Amino acid sequence: MPPTAPSSLPNYLAEGLPKQDDEALREAREYIDELLDARGQRRQEPVTADELPTDAEPVENDPSSAVYLEHRTCGDETCSCMSDGEKHGPYKYRAYRDGDTVRREYLGKAKADDD
C-alpha cells in the first residue's frame, strides 16, 4: 500500500511525486533538504535596518530579532493622522525572521523608558 501524502502537501505535488522514478525522487529529496538548510541559515541572520519600516526607530538588536518603535496612522479618514497631523504612537514591535520572510510582532504601546 502506498504512503498517504500529508494533507498540507499541495495536490499537484501529492499527485505528481508518486509518478516520478527513484532517481527523480532522490534528487527532489536532496533539493528539499538544501531548501530547508538554506532557510535555517537565513533564519539565523539578523534583521537589518533596511528591512524595517522606513520610519522605524530601532531600540534593541540581537542575533534573532530587532525591536523598534513606530508611529502609525489609524485608518480613520477623519483623523488628522491621515493627512498632515501627528501619527499615533509610538508603538513597540519586534521584527524576526521566519524563513525568508521578516515578520513583526506587536509588543504594545511604548513606555517613556523605551525611547
Side-chain angles (χ1 to χ4, degrees), residues 4-113:
T4 303
S7 60
S8 61
L9 196 64
N11 284 340
Y12 68 92
L13 289 175
E15 294 169 3
L17 283 173
K19 298 174 184 175
Q20 305 306 307
D21 64 22
D22 291 353
E23 183 60 24
L25 289 174
R26 283 187 196 92
E27 289 173 355
R29 179 174 48 197
E30 185 177 323
Y31 174 66
I32 290 168
D33 288 341
E34 290 172 2
L35 280 175
L36 290 169
D37 288 345
R39 284 186 178 179
Q41 290 172 2
R42 179 80 170 135
R43 195 173 283 117
Q44 301 306 313
E45 294 177 10
V47 175
T48 60
D50 63 325
E51 294 174 295
L52 298 177
T54 55
D55 62 343
E57 304 166 29
V59 292
E60 294 175 35
N61 231 359
D62 66 48
S64 63
S65 66
V67 176
Y68 63 95
L69 302 179
E70 184 179 12
H71 288 81
R72 309 276 314 241
T73 56
C74 65
D76 179 354
E77 294 299 327
T78 64
C79 183
S80 64
C81 75
M82 297 297 287
S83 55
D84 293 332
E86 192 173 311
K87 293 182 180 181
H88 303 282
Y91 301 103
K92 195 173 189 180
Y93 292 89
R94 180 177 72 91
Y96 62 95
R97 292 203 183 284
D98 182 8
D100 288 334
T101 304
V102 174
R103 302 213 185 272
R104 57 193 239 157
E105 172 185 20
Y106 175 67
L107 300 176
K109 187 147 174 110
K111 299 178 182 104
D113 60 345

